[in-house]
Structures are given as structure tokens and as C-alpha cells.
Amino acid sequence: QQSLKTQFASYLGDNFYAGVQLRYTHVRFMGDYFSSAEALAEQTPEMFAAKTQELIYFEPGIAWSAEEYVWQPQISFALTQWGITSEKTEQYPITPVGLLGASIKPVVPMGLLEVGVQGMVHNDTRDWRDAIRFALSYKLGILQAVVSASEYNHSAGFLLMFKSFTSGLSYWSE
């Protein structure tokens, strides 16, 4: 998979920001599902042939950020995975995802703490528990730790940032 993306954003006024991400993705994959018995019986090269798919995504977003308040509340909305494709496949479908997030930055003696919640709605969302995710981030100097959880999965990770270089490690469990 190879991706190329560009982002444009602008301040609209009254603490509102808007932006759009344009993303091109080229993927190459083995696209057919088959059992090992079928693979041995048929012996057709088409079964193992790689497929390619081109995707172009248009992903707009808007945010409100009140940095003049002590806890610096933020609210954002974005529409992701919205676009066109060279062909429809199960492996890389065009399935729009709506994201609504909110966060605050409580004052702590050292570092920066951010607490947030995100709602994510897409084709597979069955009820509100599928959509909600909570997150916590703490940054001190060049190190940032992040944890997040929903009813079905959780993750943890850290980022190490120095000038324009960022590296990190994450763990994800479902």
C-alpha cells in the first residue's frame, strides 16, 4: 500500500477552523478468498494473482477550539473514508466514517494532560457502545503517553518527539 496525502486548513474566525485532506492510495493485494483444498485442486494462476486498486479520498473537517479558556475545550467533526475507487472490492471499500470528538486540557503541575471522547459512526455501527471511545494523553518534555479504550478494544502507546523527528510504539488489543 502506498499513500500520498495533502492537507489544507484555515482559521474561519470565532475559534472555528476548517480543513480538508486529499488522499490518494494505491494498493496491491491478493483479493480472492479460498480454502487450501481449493487452491490445491484448481491449480489456477489467477487464484494467486495480485490485484491493484486506486482510491482517492476527500476528507473534510471542522473544529472549534477555545484556547482562551483555562481547560482549552475543543470540539471537532470530520468525514473520513469518503471518495472514489477504480473498482469496488471487499478488502478496500469506500465506506464513509463520521467522527465527532471533544477534549479538554485540565491544568496539571507539570506537562500537558488531555482527556477526550470520540464518537465514530459508519456502516458497521450497531448501537452507541460501538461508537464511543475514550482517550487520555499526557505529554512531558519530549515524551508523550497515550491510552484509549472502547467497549471492544483498547490501546496504549508513546511518542518520542525531537524537533521534526517523531518516533513511537503502540499496542492494540481487541
Side-chain angles (χ1 to χ4, degrees):
Q1 177 174 323
Q2 299 167 326
S3 291
L4 176 67
K5 59 185 165 184
T6 185
Q7 300 170 339
F8 303 98
S10 180
Y11 177 69
L12 301 177
D14 293 329
N15 295 329
F16 282 95
Y17 300 82
V20 65
Q21 174 173 277
L22 303 172
R23 183 168 46 114
Y24 164 77
T25 303
H26 169 83
V27 291
R28 186 177 165 104
F29 60 97
M30 190 183 313
D32 291 325
Y33 295 108
F34 53 85
S35 70
S36 55
E38 290 173 326
L40 294 172
E42 290 190 25
Q43 298 290 324
T44 60
E46 295 84 31
M47 185 175 288
F48 300 105
K51 294 184 178 182
T52 61
Q53 185 176 357
E54 315 292 329
L55 301 113
I56 298 174
Y57 296 105
F58 175 78
E59 300 172 321
I62 189 164
W64 175 80
S65 178
E67 295 177 8
E68 67 271 14
Y69 294 106
V70 175
W71 283 24
Q72 301 176 354
Q74 296 179 338
I75 299 172
S76 63
F77 172 77
L79 183 62
T80 65
Q81 306 281 346
W82 188 40
I84 57 173
T85 182
S86 59
E87 70 177 277
K88 291 184 178 183
T89 64
E90 285 183 41
Q91 291 82 359
Y92 295 93
I94 296 290
T95 55
V97 176
L99 301 168
L100 178 63
S103 70
I104 55 171
K105 298 176 184 170
V107 178
V108 292
M110 292 180 58
L112 176 65
L113 176 66
E114 188 165 5
V115 180
V117 63
Q118 180 185 55
M120 180 172 71
V121 179
H122 50 79
N123 289 348
D124 296 328
T125 305
R126 293 178 300 277
D127 59 41
W128 68 270
R129 294 177 304 176
D130 293 341
I132 303 297
R133 174 172 217 77
F134 296 95
L136 181 70
S137 168
Y138 182 71
K139 183 176 180 182
L140 182 62
I142 64 171
L143 184 64
Q144 181 176 4
V146 181
V147 295
S148 69
S150 70
E151 183 168 328
Y152 303 106
N153 56 53
H154 58 278
S155 64
F158 73 90
L159 296 170
L160 187 61
M161 296 166 272
F162 182 70
K163 296 187 181 183
S164 63
F165 177 76
T166 302
S167 181
L169 182 65
S170 65
Y171 166 80
W172 182 276
S173 175
E174 290 192 40

